[in-house]
Amino acid sequence: MHILVINGPNLNMLGIREPDVYGRTTYTQLCSRIEDHAVLRGVSVEIYQSNHEGDLVDRIQAAYGRADGIVINPAAYTHTSVALLDALKAVALPAVEVHLSRVEERESFRQISYVRAACLATITGHGIDGYLEAIDLLLAEVNGHDR
Ligand code: DQA
């Protein structure tokens, strides 16, 4: 099983950016936690981050025929991007939306998520653990379909 983890704009600044909201774990540490968890679960994982919407669309498209599932934190593009929603719908892979913070308790402009319509679940407010839980959800989903 191969999982693509996609991170949107400013997530490369983790640990530096608004630590009271996003914590002090750095982006490099986030990637290590994900990679360690993937090893534990026996899945292969590929992690991608971009600050550019079109690059994120390209990466989702490239997952077609290559990945079995997608974990996506689209960051600010969550609240604006129909293009990311359409890309997820186009590849039709099982996807889980992750947010480090509890977006539902934040500003009104964070209450819309376009990608949510193409995701089987959304995990918010669990910090880094949310990514690991998302991998487990995808595993359960894909293995469930195999049975
Ligand atoms: C975020 C929440 C978004 O509203 C914000 O724009 C981010 C990070 C989160 O992980 O909590 O950049 O996706």
Side-chain angles (χ1 to χ4, degrees):
M1 166 143 174
H2 183 64
I3 293 176
L4 173 64
V5 178
I6 296 189
N7 284 303
N10 301 305
L11 289 169
N12 55 316
M13 297 288 285
L14 273 185
I16 300 164
R17 98 182 262 223
E18 302 178 81
D20 44 323
V21 180
Y22 299 114
R24 295 205 177 267
T25 304
T26 65
Y27 186 69
T28 309
Q29 288 168 332
L30 165 68
C31 294
S32 301
R33 289 278 314 275
I34 293 170
E35 280 157 4
D36 289 351
H37 190 73
V39 169
L40 204 70
R41 295 287 189 256
V43 300
S44 69
V45 79
E46 185 184 342
I47 308 171
Y48 179 74
Q49 189 277 331
S50 176
N51 295 325
H52 306 280
E53 187 176 13
D55 290 344
L56 296 166
V57 169
D58 286 345
R59 200 57 174 228
I60 293 169
Q61 288 185 6
Y64 182 73
R66 291 186 53 229
D68 301 298
I70 296 176
V71 173
I72 184 164
N73 182 348
Y77 291 138
T78 307
H79 319 299
T80 61
S81 181
V82 176
L84 289 180
L85 167 65
D86 285 349
L88 288 172
K89 283 183 161 177
V91 298
L93 289 165
V96 177
E97 175 189 10
V98 172
H99 298 285
L100 295 156
S101 64
R102 280 190 74 77
V103 276
E104 60 274 28
E105 290 173 3
R106 298 181 64 194
E107 302 94 325
S108 56
F109 60 83
R110 293 186 209 274
Q111 302 314 311
I112 288 178
S113 166
Y114 286 97
V115 298
R116 196 158 301 171
C119 292
L120 60 94
T122 299
I123 298 168
T124 69
H126 295 186
I128 306 294
D129 287 348
Y131 287 83
L132 315 185
E133 292 164 22
I135 288 172
D136 290 350
L137 274 178
L138 285 177
L139 257 170
E141 173 74 13
V142 171
N143 290 339
H145 281 226
D146 286 349
R147 253 179 250 131

